Structures are given as structure tokens and as C-alpha cells.
Amino acid sequence: MILVTGGAGFIGGNFVLDWLAGSDEPVINLDALTYAGNLHTLDALKNDARHVFVHGDIGDTQLVSQLLKQYQPRAVVNFAAESHVDRSIHGPADFIQTNILGTFNLLESVRAYWNDLPEPEKSDFRFLHVSTDEVYGSLEKDDPPFAETHRYEPNSPYSASKAASDHLVRAWHHTYGLPVLTTNCSNNYGPYHFPEKLIPLVILNALAGKPLPIYGDGQQIRDWLYVRDHCSAIRRVLEAGRLGETYNVGGWNEKANLDVVKTICTLLDEMQPRADGQSYAEQITFVTDRAGHDRRYAIDARKLERELGWKPAETFESGIRKTVQWYLDNTEWTRNVTTGAYREWTTRQYGA
Ligand code: NAD
Ligand code: TYD
């Protein structure tokens, strides 16, 4: 079996669902259920013995060591993190705690377990660390996309904490020989995405008749990847990645934020038109820019394609249509996650 951390979050949840849809290998899912963790994402696995959910923290070495001993996983896939840049600006402490100290504690628990494994389990074991392109900093308009050799230049408390965790993972390989793999992926979107992030926030605000907040001039560029493509890349790297290597994951879909929001409005105009016949684009509102806002991210995913033959299945056009449809079809899920804590955050970030 495998141990997944953060599997009640957006990407981890999709990963667990996809994993068990394609394999009978059980998953131990360790998640602290922060505001971003949501067990409803895993409703389809309620009576599935292949999925064992454990409520706990990656930094709890006693718990993690006991889980490793009990279940003897052949791999650990680490999704658990604080992941929202805007929250990291308001309160970086949780990011240092989970992303840096949590990863450190997890690495130490895993190292002790791995050290005691007999062969061939020891050689076959993998620790896959899920990271982000944001560790590379910001690109100028004409710069080539980030390759794995790009220097680390994180600019936000979030990306700095992820960069630190990547360095720890790398060091645990070089110093202790822990068999690690790291993936650095671009912005994900798709089902079960917590609506504090741009795409789900815009879909839900549009439908609720609320403003669609665009930071600054809306010309910041992100490179969007459908979440299930990210999951397939992680499965592929886990299966065949070279030890100690990092793999950039992306779909060659660079888009300016304003264009992303306009695309969502056009899709909603078609799929669920406004009662007054106006376009949802009327709700677009320019708001104060994010502090230290990175201008452009773009991923060069050729290493993953060349070495491991991975390619995304979705284009941005196909993926965003599926995503908008998913939010229209799953209002119950969104109702469950947009509770008091969510409303507190949106009031704090965007005002009443
Ligand atoms: P998310 O915020 O939706 O989910 C994070 C999950 O981790 C939640 O279920 C939360 O409860 C859990 N968690 C938080 N702290 C924990 C702790 N101390 N112990 C155990 N569980 C804890 O995040 P996401 O968007 O699914 O991102 C998952 C991973 O992928 C993160 O490491 C993130 O940095 C990385 N990543 C995200 C993106 C993206 O676009 N969302 C892109 C590239 C990489
Ligand atoms: P986000 O989804 O928070 O991801 P990240 O900051 O990790 O890239 O934001 C995506 C882009 O959208 C980013 O450039 C910030 C911008 N943005 C807005 O313009 N308005 C918003 O309300 C949010 C949440 C993000």
C-alpha cells in the first residue's frame, strides 16, 4: 500500500480517487483536516476498505512512525501543505510550521522506517514530494519557461516555505540516501478545488451574483494544468522517476488571469445564463493587487515527457469546460465547504 498525506485536499483528494479508480492497491490517507481539508471529497470511498483515513498531522512523529510500522507502505506521497499565497501573506506561521517543520518531521519518521526495511523493500521504497513551480520565482514576459535547473527564487511566504521543504527533501537523499522524488507543478484547476483560489472563486462568485475580483491589472500569467493530469504525472514519476531527481509538471497553458476569468464568464453565459440576460463578465471588478505578486509562471515539462513519456490529456479549453460543469453539478460539495470559516476568510480578504 501507499501512504498519502493531505489526501483530503484538492490535489491529494483527486489523487486518492484516481488511484483507487485505477488500482486495488490500498491507500492510507493522513490529513490534519485544516480549513482546506474536506472529507466530502472522499464520499465515494466511504465503504471502501482500500481507503483508510487517518486524522492527523505530518509533523506528529509518533503517529506517523506508528502508521508506517503498522501499514508498511511501499511509498509515501506528500501533498500535505498550507497552499494559499494570500493566506501566507496574512499569516505565514502556519506555512513555516507545516511546510517546513512538518516536512522535516515527516522525513525523519520516514527515514527511521526506511532504514529498518529489509531488502528488496528498502530499495523499492519511494518518498515523493509534491511541490510547486512557485519556488522558481517570477518570469519576465519573454523569459523561457522554468526548467528543473532554474535557480530557486521564491518570493512569497508560501513559495519560500515550499522551497525550504524541497531543499530538505533533496538533502535527505544526498546525506542519508533516502529514495526521494520531487515534482514541481504549475497551477492546478479542476473538481474539488477549494473556492479561495482564483478559478473556483470566480465560478462561485459569478453564480452568486458577486463581484469577480481581479488583482491589479489582471495581466499576471499562470500556466494551468487540469488536476487529473497532475495526478497522472505523479503516478508516472512514482513508477519510473529517477531517484533524487526533480520533474517539472505543466500543460503549456499560459494564460493571463483576466483571460481566464473572461473564459469562465463565457462558459457560464452558455451553460447557465444570467436571468437578466447580461454576461457574467459584467461582474468583473479590479481590486488592489496582491503584495509581491509574481508576474508570470511557466513550466518547461520536456524532461518528464522525454524521460517518462508523460503528456497531459486535457487542453485548457477542455479542462475548464469540465471544471465549470463540475461546479454546476456539485453544489452540495460547495455548500459544505463554504461554511463560517470560509466566509470569515472572504470577508477579511475582499471586505464585506
Ligand atoms: P490544499 O490546501 O487544497 O490541501 C492541503 C491538504 O493538506 C488539506 O487537506 C489539509 O487538511 C492538509 N494538511 C495541511 N496541513 C497538514 C498537516 N500539517 N498534516 C497533515 N495534513 C495537512 O492544497 P492542494 O492545492 O491540494 O496542494 C497539495 C500540494 O500540491 C501542496 O503541497 C501544494 O504546495 C502542491 N501544489 C499545489 C498546486 C496548486 O495549484 N494547487 C500546484 C503545484 C503544487
Ligand atoms: P491563486 O489561485 O491564488 O493561485 P497562485 O497565487 O498560487 O498562482 O491565484 C491565481 C492568480 O489569480 C494569481 O495571479 C492571483 C490571481 N487572483 C486574483 O486576481 N483574484 C483573486 O481573487 C484570487 C484568489 C487570485
Side-chain angles (χ1 to χ4, degrees), residues 37-345:
N38 179 20
L39 280 178
H40 286 295
T41 299
L42 304 163
D43 272 350
L45 302 174
K46 248 182 190 155
N47 298 313
D48 193 327
R50 299 171 305 163
H51 178 242
V52 179
F53 183 80
V54 180
H55 184 192
D57 195 306
I58 54 167
D60 182 343
T61 43
Q62 210 182 336
L63 171 68
V64 175
S65 303
Q66 180 247 310
L67 289 175
L68 292 167
K69 198 171 158 200
Q70 183 179 352
Y71 292 106
Q72 303 273 309
R74 69 169 177 95
V76 173
V77 184
N78 183 31
F79 291 95
E82 289 293 335
S83 70
H84 189 33
V85 174
D86 291 325
R87 284 189 191 251
S88 83
I89 295 169
H90 285 291
D94 288 347
F95 290 72
I96 306 305
Q97 187 62 41
T98 283
N99 300 0
I100 307 181
L101 293 172
T103 304
F104 161 68
N105 284 323
L106 179 65
L107 282 165
E108 281 296 80
S109 307
V110 170
R111 181 165 74 93
Y113 162 71
W114 170 76
N115 261 331
D116 288 345
L117 281 177
E119 290 295 355
E121 286 81 0
K122 189 170 184 180
S123 304
D124 292 343
F125 183 80
R126 297 288 180 270
F127 180 92
L128 192 151
H129 180 61
V130 180
S131 192
T132 165
D133 60 356
E134 302 193 25
V135 297
Y136 298 124
S138 184
L139 292 169
E140 297 294 330
K141 198 165 171 276
D142 297 319
D143 286 345
F146 300 126
E148 289 79 358
T149 47
H150 196 282
R151 67 184 268 203
Y152 271 39
E153 289 179 317
N155 291 321
S156 71
Y158 163 65
S159 55
S161 67
K162 289 297 290 187
S165 69
D166 293 7
H167 291 323
L168 292 175
V169 171
R170 176 188 162 86
W172 261 238
H173 174 66
H174 282 267
T175 304
Y176 303 114
L178 191 71
V180 309
L181 299 155
T182 298
T183 53
N184 292 87
C185 189
S186 60
N187 284 61
N188 284 214
Y189 67 100
Y192 307 109
H193 203 180
F194 193 72
E196 65 184 355
K197 306 280 171 72
L198 178 70
I199 287 181
L201 179 95
V202 163
I203 298 172
L204 295 194
N205 277 15
L207 294 170
K210 293 181 184 166
L212 312 180
I214 308 277
Y215 297 164
D217 63 3
Q219 294 308 313
Q220 303 82 5
I221 290 171
R222 297 294 181 264
D223 188 352
W224 294 96
L225 184 70
Y226 192 62
V227 64
R228 298 185 66 182
D229 281 327
H230 186 190
C231 295
S232 76
I234 292 169
R235 290 197 300 275
R236 186 68 193 128
V237 172
L238 187 61
E239 180 176 65
R242 286 189 290 128
L243 290 187
E245 291 289 316
T246 65
Y247 292 90
N248 283 356
V249 187
W252 307 96
N253 284 308
E254 287 185 58
K255 306 272 176 211
N257 293 338
L258 188 56
D259 293 334
V260 170
V261 173
K262 284 182 177 167
T263 301
I264 293 169
C265 291
T266 307
L267 284 167
L268 284 172
D269 288 341
E270 172 202 321
M271 293 155 105
Q272 192 157 307
R274 261 172 53 160
D276 63 2
Q278 299 277 311
S279 170
Y280 288 99
E282 297 292 321
Q283 291 164 233
I284 289 174
T285 310
F286 290 88
V287 300
T288 310
D289 207 353
R290 171 187 281 174
H293 199 170
D294 283 338
R295 198 70 186 162
R296 175 177 165 235
Y297 303 142
I299 276 281
D300 178 344
R302 282 177 297 181
K303 177 179 175 184
L304 181 55
E305 186 178 339
R306 192 176 58 242
E307 287 191 13
L308 304 181
W310 175 86
K311 270 190 181 165
E314 303 290 345
T315 61
F316 185 71
E317 288 64 34
S318 65
I320 193 73
R321 180 174 281 277
K322 281 186 184 175
T323 304
V324 171
Q325 188 65 59
W326 188 88
Y327 279 92
L328 289 174
D329 293 343
N330 288 274
T331 49
E332 181 69 18
W333 183 87
T334 15
R335 232 193 328 275
N336 281 321
V337 301
T338 46
T339 54
Y342 175 73
R343 285 197 291 274
E344 266 166 42
W345 164 253

